[in-house]
Amino acid sequence: MTENYRNNFLKEVEANVEEGEWVKMCMQCGVCSGSCPLGKFWDHPPQELFMMIRAGKRDQVLGSDSMWMCTSCYNCIVRCPRELPITHIMHGLAHYAKRQGLVPANQPTAKFAQKFWDNLMTKGRVNEFKLGLSLYFMNGFGEGIKVAMKNQKLGMNMLKAKRMNPKEIMGGHTVEDLSGFQQAIKKAAELEDARIAQPGG
């Protein structure tokens, strides 16, 4: 598919990334970066990513850690003088990078997203206890113990608020029609794959 866009990464983004057609409207003012609470931690702030897209730096953009840093606070959208849907573009770039197999190795947000999705798909509802354990120990047993000890107060508060139940380790709650839920998700994935396969999808 990418052969259709060789030497024109902007066109590829416009065709395959949510709200990607807005990238060319960026005037490089930097308000988005200055408004982002995590901006100083980004390797490439939004306006820099947009310039890199227009410069055809495909591998650098899709292999960047930056769009995975977006927390969806929407400060950038609210303050952008041209009202670009920056948050949507960031998530769209992350999704497209995943489809292309270009997510940086061990990217924590990507790992969390996959674990959350896998957890959700098992029963149709999130099993907070199993999800918490998988996140704590996703970087090894020793690291997991350290993370668990660091977050023990949070864990106890979740137990008290009944947001987490140790009994869920045995299976946990599920949606009423799990098979129907999973079939609906499968059909949605098939429709999305079919859309992507279309020219300009």
Side-chain angles (χ1 to χ4, degrees):
M1 182 188 72
T2 56
E3 286 296 320
N4 298 328
Y5 307 106
R6 185 168 292 282
N7 298 323
N8 196 335
F9 184 41
L10 176 60
K11 182 180 177 183
E12 182 179 350
V13 168
E14 290 176 336
N16 296 284
V17 173
E18 180 184 2
E19 307 281 13
E21 66 275 10
W22 283 87
V23 168
K24 60 179 175 286
M25 295 298 295
C26 176
M27 63 182 187
Q28 296 291 300
C29 67
V31 169
C32 54
S33 301
S35 302
C36 180
L38 294 177
K40 64 181 180 180
F41 300 107
W42 290 43
D43 290 334
H44 309 289
Q47 91 277 3
E48 187 174 319
L49 279 178
F50 296 167
M51 181 57 74
M52 291 167 68
I53 290 171
R54 297 196 300 226
K57 298 183 180 295
R58 184 179 192 275
D59 291 344
Q60 292 95 318
V61 171
L62 295 181
S64 174
D65 190 62
S66 295
M67 51 270 198
W68 296 96
M69 298 290 289
C70 179
T71 61
S72 304
C73 71
Y74 289 90
N75 279 345
C76 54
I77 292 182
V78 170
R79 296 176 179 174
C80 176
R82 288 194 168 172
E83 300 181 348
L84 270 67
I86 300 166
T87 301
H88 304 163
I89 298 171
M90 291 299 104
H91 291 310
L93 284 169
H95 181 62
Y96 188 57
K98 187 176 189 306
R99 278 165 39 199
Q100 297 294 310
L102 295 172
V103 180
N106 296 317
Q107 209 296 321
T109 305
K111 289 173 71 174
F112 167 78
Q114 189 61 56
K115 287 185 177 296
F116 184 93
W117 180 256
D118 293 342
N119 183 291
L120 172 67
M121 289 302 296
T122 301
K123 296 284 187 177
R125 297 179 67 177
V126 174
N127 184 318
E128 288 89 353
F129 191 77
K130 285 187 175 181
L131 178 62
L133 286 177
S134 68
L135 292 175
Y136 282 3
F137 293 96
M138 69 180 181
N139 294 318
F141 183 78
E143 184 65 23
I145 294 297
K146 292 178 183 178
V147 174
M149 294 301 293
K150 182 180 178 180
N151 291 289
Q152 59 179 314
K153 185 176 179 180
L154 173 62
M156 292 303 297
N157 286 337
M158 289 184 72
L159 287 171
K160 290 177 183 177
K162 298 182 179 180
R163 291 298 304 156
M164 188 167 64
N165 186 341
K167 293 180 180 179
E168 290 188 340
I169 195 68
M170 303 303 294
H173 48 294
T174 184
V175 293
E176 186 173 329
D177 182 9
L178 180 59
S179 176
F181 167 79
Q182 291 175 336
Q183 288 176 18
I185 295 297
K186 181 180 178 181
K187 183 62 177 179
E190 291 173 353
L191 292 172
E192 177 69 358
D193 290 342
R195 183 191 67 80
I196 292 170
Q198 294 295 320

